[in-house]
Amino acid sequence: MIKFFLSPFNTVCDSAILNLSGSVDRIDNRLMLKFDLFDRLSQVLIPVAKSPSRQDNLWQTTCFEFFIGVQNSSEYWEFNLSPSSDWNVYHFENYRAGMQEEKVFLSLPFEIETRSHHTFLSIDLDLNLLNLNQPIDLGITAVIETNQQISYWALKHCGKEADFHIRESFAIEL
């Protein structure tokens, strides 16, 4: 299991007040990813929970995301998971090119739990559905909206602007 911490792009944030961490593992070709958003001041705007459905533009408010890249290939997938339970998966042939909804998924197996000052999200994804049996590069990211701003969090920021699609920011190999 690999533990991770996300950092905001171009924003100073007191980690004692707001931080985003988690863990990830790949076992039996299943990706098990857990996010833990700690929000001491309850300032993060969390979309209201509802029946899950595939939606676009989830990144316009608080949303957990991850990117799976095929090693030694420009191909990758973007997964968007909203605390509202909405979701989407996009496939790209190259950096921001050839985007299509990934139709192999009719739903995504993720769960959301909220407790005092914490929002937890976990997903257990069968990588066989994407025919991924080779090593992968993983980017873990989030969009966090508060009353004051939207911030972009990632394992690693590699661009002059917040851009989760930059392949060098897929910082975990599994």
Side-chain angles (χ1 to χ4, degrees):
M1 175 180 10
I2 299 171
K3 294 190 177 206
F4 64 83
F5 295 92
L6 303 185
S7 59
F9 180 81
N10 265 359
T11 301
V12 176
C13 188
D14 183 348
S15 64
I17 294 175
L18 182 65
N19 69 66
L20 189 47
S21 62
S23 64
V24 63
D25 207 348
R26 183 176 182 177
I27 299 174
D28 296 331
N29 214 29
R30 300 187 75 82
L31 181 72
M32 289 163 281
L33 175 61
K34 295 179 180 179
F35 290 89
D36 177 1
L37 171 64
F38 173 71
D39 177 15
R40 184 175 176 185
L41 302 177
S42 300
Q43 60 185 330
V44 176
L45 301 178
I46 301 292
V48 176
K50 60 185 201 73
S51 295
S53 65
R54 176 173 265 188
Q55 296 290 327
D56 291 316
N57 302 316
L58 295 174
W59 51 269
Q60 292 179 339
T61 186
T62 301
C63 180
F64 300 91
E65 303 182 355
F66 61 98
F67 294 75
I68 297 175
V70 177
Q71 281 193 351
N72 304 315
S73 167
S74 59
E75 179 183 25
Y76 66 99
W77 288 264
E78 174 185 353
F79 290 76
N80 298 160
L81 310 169
S82 170
S84 71
S85 299
D86 289 336
W87 61 275
N88 214 334
V89 183
Y90 305 97
H91 177 258
F92 295 82
E93 293 296 328
N94 290 297
Y95 172 75
R96 294 188 176 273
M99 179 179 143
Q100 296 181 355
E101 278 191 353
E102 178 55 70
K103 299 294 186 187
V104 74
F105 297 104
L106 300 176
S107 65
L108 284 181
F110 71 102
E111 297 179 357
I112 299 149
E113 179 183 347
T114 56
R115 281 190 250 154
S116 178
H117 306 294
H118 286 269
T119 299
F120 301 97
L121 187 144
S122 62
I123 184 167
D124 181 350
L125 184 69
D126 183 355
L127 296 174
N128 293 313
L129 294 171
L130 297 173
N131 294 318
L132 289 174
N133 295 307
Q134 65 273 54
I136 59 172
D137 297 321
L138 188 67
I140 303 173
T141 65
V143 176
I144 302 297
E145 182 178 17
T146 66
N147 288 328
Q148 297 135 355
Q149 66 178 351
I150 290 182
S151 56
Y152 302 92
W153 297 61
L155 293 169
K156 187 176 177 183
H157 296 281
C158 296
K160 293 179 182 178
E161 297 180 5
D163 184 349
F164 299 154
H165 292 255
I166 296 174
R167 191 58 181 262
E168 290 76 19
S169 64
F170 295 16
I172 294 177
E173 295 180 24
L174 290 174

